Amino acid sequence: MAITTDPNPPGLPGDEQAAAAAEAAPTRKAPKVGGRRGDVANLVLGRRLRSEDDIHQRLGNPVALAVFASDALSSVAYATEEMLTKLLPYAAIAAFGLLMPLSLAIVALLVILIFSYRQTIKAYPSAGGAYIVTRDNFGVLPAQVAGVALLTDYILTVAVSVSAGVAAAYSAFPELRSQKVLIAVALIWFIALMNLRGVKESGRVFAVPTYGFVIAIFGLLIVGFVRELFGGLHAANTHAQIVHAGGVGTLGAFVILTAFASGCTAMTGVEAISNGVPAFKPVEYKNARKVLGVLGLLLGTMFLGISYLALKIKPIPTAKQTVISQVARAVLGTGTVGHILYFVVQILTMLILVLAANTSFADFPRLASFHAHDHFLPTPMTTRGRRLVFSTGIVVLAGFATLMTVVTGASVTRLIPLYAIGVFTSFTLSQAGMARRHTKLKEPGWHVGIIVNGLGAIATGVVLVVIAVTKFLDGAWIIMLAVPIIVLILTRVNKHYIHISTTLADEARESPIAPSKHMDTVVFVSKLDIGLDRAMRYLDALPSDSVRCVHIGPESKALAGAFWARYERELEFAPGRKVVKTARALAHSERHDHPDRVVAVVIPEMIEDTRWRHLLRYSTALRLKAGLLLESGVVVVNVPTMAEDKTLRNRPARRHVAVVPIGELHAGARDALAIAALLGADRIVGVHIAENPEETEAVQNAWEEADIRYPLDLVAAPYRVVAQPLIDEVRALKREGADLVTVVIGEVVPKWYQHGLHNHRALQMKAGLLFEPGVATVSVPHHL
């Protein structure tokens, strides 16, 4: 998208010539953002992708299966073990007799879920899974319950999967056990890093171990069935050992239901494909349904096969040896080849357990973006990063998963009770939502659909109740308590966004773009240097009613004399040890004395370090700029100066242009336009950074309806950043003859504890413009 300019003349005196030049200028392309070769970000994360590259980042079915099915497929490694762990303590011999009936019941429920989610994908091809289904059929609040339950389960999936993978590793290599937490945390962040590089790239990397695990398990099943057929497969434990390891009683209904619920962990991850439909190549929903069908077939076959081999081999789960490890040892034998194949199976099992976390990294950020789009989670969750993934969601997931892993000591036993209750909550709400949809719309085939979804809702609801009851004291109460608390927090977040939106809209309707006729200026003087020289020249461009030059600190006759000699102005002194507090008090006093005037605080800033050193140093100028934003009725004028910046050194600006970035035409943007009109610029232009076509159209319509006399430039942002396109616009204006550009940025100032809920685009713009020669920035805070 190129920069386009309003064809109407700007309407400011003396600006006709510049307007004609702007119309005759060639179309300006958006700049490429991505850094130089060898840039650290490019090296670690890959080059920045354009928004239109999204279609090329879509997943083919084989890679999509690896990305979205690794969680579900990995459960084959522990689902059978979870059932045996619940059954053996009560009736060791009977436990193995129930293994296949329970496995068949779980596979039957799996079939229902697969068919149900195939309907969901077709009905909601834009993705969203349980969240969108529940929101559409039950309302916003139940949707938050479904979404939060699934988000917490994704966090636990990462912690459980990585911890289980590390457990598989130290089953084969016991010396790793002492470092399990460190290894688990390192693996979490490695997977996060790979996902930050893009879903397609991470899918390609992780597809090899995923398909390697599938091949290894099917190979194990084939060898096991052949040996069983020819009588060469023997139990790993004797009757006496089994009895000694477990109980000798009978199994009650409650124990059987507990084992069934534990085995249902085999179904976790089935919903992932429904949340990630947009990641597939066209036709998205058809490909997603195909992959879901393949997932169901692979998962059901592998799970039943492992359960059948466990029935024949009779492994006893221990802290040192997992069930799948014992099955692999028994099937593959003790010879040299058998040992090699055993280690291959264990390594691939470890990898698939670790990579099961990849499904969460693919789905958690996308689901969080749906919440954020509905204004229940922070808006940064909706922003795609340099590789077209929701980077904030990936980092947040890695952070919470790391916390859970460290707190539980990477113990699968301590994590499992927290696991699965969230996903079955979303299962139940999703199935019930689809059933309700069938009754409302009565689309062709709705009778079959309501039976499938109804059965699914009832079955998953029963499993949910069983999990909640049986695992309550073991830790499920934590999730049952956390979900409603998080939902309550999300509703408060939503109220915050609604309050800001309605307040800004109401204030925009009530306040016309009419600048104050008077402005008082206060210049804070730190030391006499070329930075102050440039700031004092900038004052010449401001139509101020009064100018005060103030030094915060003890009175110095030498400094006052040097200041007069250099600028022929008096220098005031404001005693105070706390610079920001003193500056705020002075600005507040000035505002109190002249409530009908705007107070412009000018902050000179000399930049002598590199970009990052200057920002990290957190200088007095930076602290002043941040602190003064909290004062109502005060605008902060920042005049940065670099050694190579020659503008405004010895003469005032010949042509001064004011640029006002416009995200939305709310009250904050109108304040910025009013201040721009007060600066005495030769020309004023609004600039909209065009990231989203719908938002751009809305801004254009609002601009026309408001009948604003300044032109509105639309600047493309193909890389989803705001600073660089704005810098490109500023440079274009300087090429057209402006030797001073003031960027007037309106920004809503939330309370200190609400900053994490906002994108801080104004801060991004100011950080980028700080190092652009010939530019001053004016921050116009808007307090609600």
Side-chain angles (χ1 to χ4, degrees):
M1 180 177 181
I3 299 174
T4 58
T5 309
D6 190 320
N8 297 319
L12 290 174
D15 202 45
E16 293 81 0
Q17 186 177 355
E23 289 179 359
T27 301
R28 298 190 290 268
K29 299 291 184 181
K32 183 174 182 178
V33 179
R36 302 181 304 274
R37 287 185 180 179
D39 181 80
V40 175
N42 286 345
L43 180 65
V44 175
L45 301 176
R47 67 176 180 85
R48 193 180 291 273
L49 297 175
R50 299 172 66 92
S51 297
E52 55 263 35
D53 291 335
D54 180 60
I55 190 67
H56 304 297
Q57 295 297 305
R58 301 290 185 89
L59 302 176
N61 290 355
V63 176
L65 181 64
V67 171
F68 293 110
S70 55
D71 180 16
L73 294 176
S74 71
S75 60
V76 170
Y78 55 81
T80 300
E81 179 173 338
E82 286 299 308
M83 289 191 290
L84 286 175
T85 301
K86 300 300 180 185
L87 294 171
L88 282 172
Y90 297 95
I93 302 301
F96 289 101
L98 277 173
L99 200 55
M100 283 308 294
L102 287 176
S103 297
L104 287 167
I106 290 169
V107 170
L109 180 55
L110 172 65
V111 171
I112 292 174
L113 280 177
I114 293 295
F115 276 101
S116 178
Y117 271 107
R118 280 173 59 86
Q119 292 181 334
T120 300
I121 290 170
K122 186 176 181 180
Y124 296 92
S126 59
Y131 178 77
I132 300 298
V133 173
T134 307
R135 187 189 66 183
D136 194 36
N137 295 284
F138 294 124
V140 172
L141 194 59
Q144 302 313 308
V145 174
V148 168
L150 202 50
L151 289 173
T152 56
D153 206 75
Y154 282 144
I155 295 170
L156 289 165
T157 295
V158 175
V160 169
S161 299
V162 171
S163 299
V166 174
Y170 65 68
S171 288
F173 308 99
E175 60 272 13
L176 297 177
R177 186 182 181 90
S178 62
Q179 302 296 324
K180 62 178 183 179
V181 175
L182 181 61
I183 295 172
V185 171
L187 288 171
I188 288 172
W189 286 98
F190 171 73
I191 298 171
L193 175 61
M194 294 306 300
N195 278 274
L196 287 172
R197 291 182 62 87
V199 65
K200 188 174 184 178
E201 186 161 343
S202 65
R204 285 172 174 171
V205 172
F206 297 148
V208 174
T210 301
Y211 283 106
F213 174 75
V214 172
I215 293 170
I217 293 299
F218 272 100
L220 186 68
L221 297 181
I222 291 170
V223 174
F225 293 155
V226 170
R227 291 190 63 182
E228 166 66 14
L229 182 64
F230 291 99
L233 189 64
H234 304 289
N237 297 284
T238 65
H239 181 85
Q241 289 173 319
I242 296 172
V243 172
H244 177 74
V248 293
T250 57
L251 293 171
F254 183 77
V255 175
I256 294 172
L257 283 174
T258 302
F260 175 75
S262 295
C264 282
T265 55
M267 289 181 287
T268 56
V270 169
E271 82 295 335
I273 292 173
S274 68
N275 287 326
V277 177
F280 285 80
K281 287 184 176 180
V283 176
E284 292 86 351
Y285 85 92
K286 290 184 178 179
N287 286 322
R289 280 161 58 94
K290 290 176 184 177
V291 171
L292 182 60
V294 173
L295 166 62
L297 182 62
L298 291 175
L299 178 58
T301 303
M302 293 162 66
F303 175 57
L304 285 176
I306 293 296
S307 293
Y308 178 78
L309 290 180
L311 170 64
K312 297 299 179 181
I313 295 170
K314 295 181 172 51
I316 298 173
T318 66
K320 294 183 178 180
Q321 283 285 315
T322 61
V323 164
I324 197 165
S325 174
Q326 296 177 56
V327 168
R329 282 188 186 276
V331 170
L332 299 173
T334 57
T336 303
V337 176
H339 271 298
I340 294 173
L341 293 176
Y342 164 76
F343 279 113
V344 170
V345 171
Q346 281 301 101
I347 290 171
L348 289 170
T349 300
M350 178 198 72
L351 290 174
I352 192 65
L353 286 169
V354 170
L355 298 184
N358 191 56
T359 297
S360 292
F361 277 104
D363 271 3
F364 178 98
R366 194 178 297 274
L367 179 56
S369 74
F370 293 142
H371 281 270
H373 188 268
D374 290 341
H375 300 117
F376 283 91
L377 279 177
T379 51
M381 292 284 195
T382 63
T383 304
R384 292 178 182 265
R386 63 190 296 122
R387 300 291 291 178
L388 293 171
V389 293
F390 298 103
S391 304
T392 304
I394 291 173
V395 174
V396 168
L397 173 58
F400 279 114
T402 297
L403 178 64
M404 293 299 301
T405 302
V406 172
V407 168
T408 59
S411 170
V412 179
T413 304
R414 294 174 66 183
L415 285 165
I416 280 291
L418 310 177
Y419 190 50
I421 191 167
V423 75
F424 275 94
T425 300
S426 67
F427 278 165
T428 304
L429 288 171
S430 176
Q431 305 312 300
M434 285 299 296
R436 180 176 179 129
R437 186 177 191 277
H438 290 309
T439 60
K440 289 193 303 182
L441 300 182
K442 292 183 172 57
E443 296 172 325
W446 71 276
H447 293 92
V448 175
I450 198 171
I451 292 172
V452 172
N453 293 127
L455 283 175
I458 293 170
T460 54
V462 169
V463 173
L464 174 62
V465 171
V466 172
I467 292 175
V469 172
T470 58
K471 296 185 178 183
F472 184 82
L473 295 178
D474 293 330
W477 65 270
I478 298 174
I479 301 301
M480 296 171 68
L481 181 64
V483 168
I485 291 176
I486 296 172
V487 169
L488 179 62
I489 293 172
L490 264 56
T491 57
R492 295 295 300 171
V493 170
N494 182 251
K495 288 181 180 179
H496 166 73
Y497 284 125
I498 291 174
H499 169 66
I500 285 183
S501 178
T502 54
T503 302
L504 289 175
D506 291 344
E507 290 177 355
R509 284 192 293 269
E510 296 169 2
S511 60
I513 303 174
S516 169
K517 295 182 180 179
H518 302 282
M519 179 173 66
D520 292 334
T521 303
V522 178
V523 184
F524 283 116
V525 177
S526 176
K527 58 182 179 180
L528 307 187
D529 55 16
I530 59 174
L532 182 59
D533 290 345
R534 189 165 181 269
M536 297 302 290
R537 284 293 182 188
Y538 185 82
L539 283 178
D540 297 336
L542 297 182
S544 303
D545 287 86
S546 66
V547 177
R548 296 175 62 188
C549 302
V550 181
H551 174 76
I552 298 175
E555 186 171 351
S556 169
K557 291 184 179 180
L559 180 61
F563 188 82
W564 174 265
R566 192 160 180 162
Y567 305 114
E568 296 185 354
R569 290 180 182 271
E570 292 186 359
L571 180 63
E572 301 178 31
F573 291 88
R577 301 182 64 182
K578 296 182 178 180
V579 175
V580 176
K581 184 176 181 180
T582 305
R584 288 186 61 184
L586 195 150
H588 182 78
S589 173
E590 187 75 22
R591 175 69 175 165
H592 181 267
D593 293 342
H594 304 284
D596 58 329
R597 299 182 182 180
V598 173
V599 177
V601 178
V602 179
I603 301 176
E605 185 170 3
M606 190 66 199
I607 300 173
E608 299 174 309
D609 286 331
T610 61
R611 180 185 298 262
W612 287 110
R613 283 182 181 177
H614 181 80
L615 293 175
L616 293 174
R617 191 158 52 88
Y618 200 48
S619 64
T620 301
L622 290 175
R623 289 186 283 119
L624 280 171
K625 287 187 289 183
L628 288 167
L629 285 178
L630 303 176
E631 290 297 323
S632 180
V634 174
V635 299
V636 182
V637 183
N638 183 216
V639 186
T641 301
M642 293 180 287
E644 65 272 18
D645 190 353
K646 304 299 183 182
T647 60
L648 300 184
R649 288 282 186 87
N650 303 310
R651 59 170 178 79
R654 285 192 291 264
R655 182 165 180 77
H656 181 194
V657 177
V659 174
V660 185
I662 303 292
E664 296 179 59
L665 198 58
H666 51 50
R670 288 170 177 262
D671 288 349
L673 287 166
I675 294 298
L678 191 58
L679 295 177
D682 301 300
R683 182 187 178 196
I684 298 174
V685 58
V687 174
H688 175 69
I689 310 300
E691 297 180 77
N692 183 291
E694 290 78 15
E695 291 179 0
T696 300
E697 184 178 359
V699 169
Q700 284 182 293
N701 292 336
W703 193 270
E704 292 173 2
E705 289 173 8
D707 195 24
I708 299 173
R709 63 194 184 110
Y710 312 126
L712 176 66
D713 281 5
L714 306 179
V715 183
Y719 295 98
R720 304 160 305 285
V721 294
V722 293
Q724 187 59 48
L726 182 58
I727 291 171
D728 184 65
E729 172 75 352
V730 167
R731 290 173 179 171
L733 290 170
K734 288 194 290 186
R735 287 194 300 269
E736 292 172 4
D739 56 353
L740 172 63
V741 178
T742 298
V743 181
V744 185
I745 304 174
E747 52 186 305
V748 176
V749 181
K751 294 183 173 63
W752 65 267
Y753 55 85
Q754 297 170 337
H755 279 283
L757 301 177
H758 299 275
N759 279 318
H760 298 288
R761 295 190 174 189
L763 185 60
Q764 296 172 39
M765 293 178 189
K766 288 186 287 185
L769 292 166
L770 188 62
F771 304 92
E772 184 65 20
V775 176
T777 59
V778 177
S779 299
V780 184
H782 186 88
H783 299 268
L784 299 177

